[in-house]
């Protein structure tokens, strides 16, 4: 009985070995590349290169693996560059349009002081509490009308700030 079980295991191993065609192994490499799993793709490519060296499938698998590695490296470099830039990486030239007015935000910064109501050589400012910082941006409001209605969200935001004398909420 043990001899028959060993023979069945041997035949199954041979069957699996015969099923491993270059196209099948390249499909394994493709699946790993699509899943962006470079470790699994490298294992599948190594198996393909070992079993079928010099075939077109081996060359295509090697190219796909190299492309996956270069894309991963480019993503890591971009993430490191953005992490190094911090808030400078954010584009703060956002414009919000209302019925009568538009508001443009520029120059995002992290600061311990919030300046507002700036006119010529006069302005008001708030100092942050110890250990706290403000996320600030320069805002410009423009309109074609002489007496525009400000957007409701902005009016509520300014009213809240004046009532509480706190920093503006994030996401507004």
């Amino acid at each position: 009985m043990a001899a028959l079980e060993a023979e069945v295991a041997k035949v199954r191993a041979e069957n699996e070995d015969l099923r491993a065609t270059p196209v099948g192994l390249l499909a394994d490499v493709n699946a790993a590349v699509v899943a962006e799993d470079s470790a699994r793709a490298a294992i599948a490519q190594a198996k393909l290169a070992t079993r079928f060296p010099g075939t077109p499938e081996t060359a295509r698998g090697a190219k796909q693996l190299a492309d996956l590695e270069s894309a991963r490296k480019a993503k890591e470099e971009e993430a490191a560059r953005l992490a190094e830039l911090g808030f400078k990486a954010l584009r703060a030239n956002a414009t919000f349009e209302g019925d009568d007015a538009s508001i443009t935000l520029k120059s995002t910064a992290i600061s311990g002081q919030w300046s507002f109501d700036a006119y010529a050589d006069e302005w008001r400012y708030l100092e942050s509490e110890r250990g706290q910082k403000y996320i600030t941006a320069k805002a410009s409001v423009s309109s074609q009308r002489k007496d525009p209605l400000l957007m409701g969200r902005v009016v509520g935001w300014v009213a809240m700030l004046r009532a509480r004398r706190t920093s503006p909420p994030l996401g507004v």
Side-chain angles (χ1 to χ4, degrees), residues 1-60:
M1 187 67 157
L4 288 177
E5 288 177 358
E7 187 67 27
V8 167
K10 181 181 172 188
V11 169
R12 283 188 179 158
E14 279 183 31
N15 194 9
E16 287 298 318
D17 194 39
L18 291 174
R19 284 186 185 174
T21 64
V23 174
L25 292 174
L26 181 60
D28 292 343
V29 173
N30 288 340
V33 167
V34 167
E36 295 183 4
D37 186 353
S38 58
R40 196 175 86 194
I43 291 169
Q45 175 58 27
K47 190 185 295 185
L48 178 62
T50 303
R51 294 267 325 237
F52 304 102
T55 62
E57 289 84 1
T58 302
R60 276 186 285 195

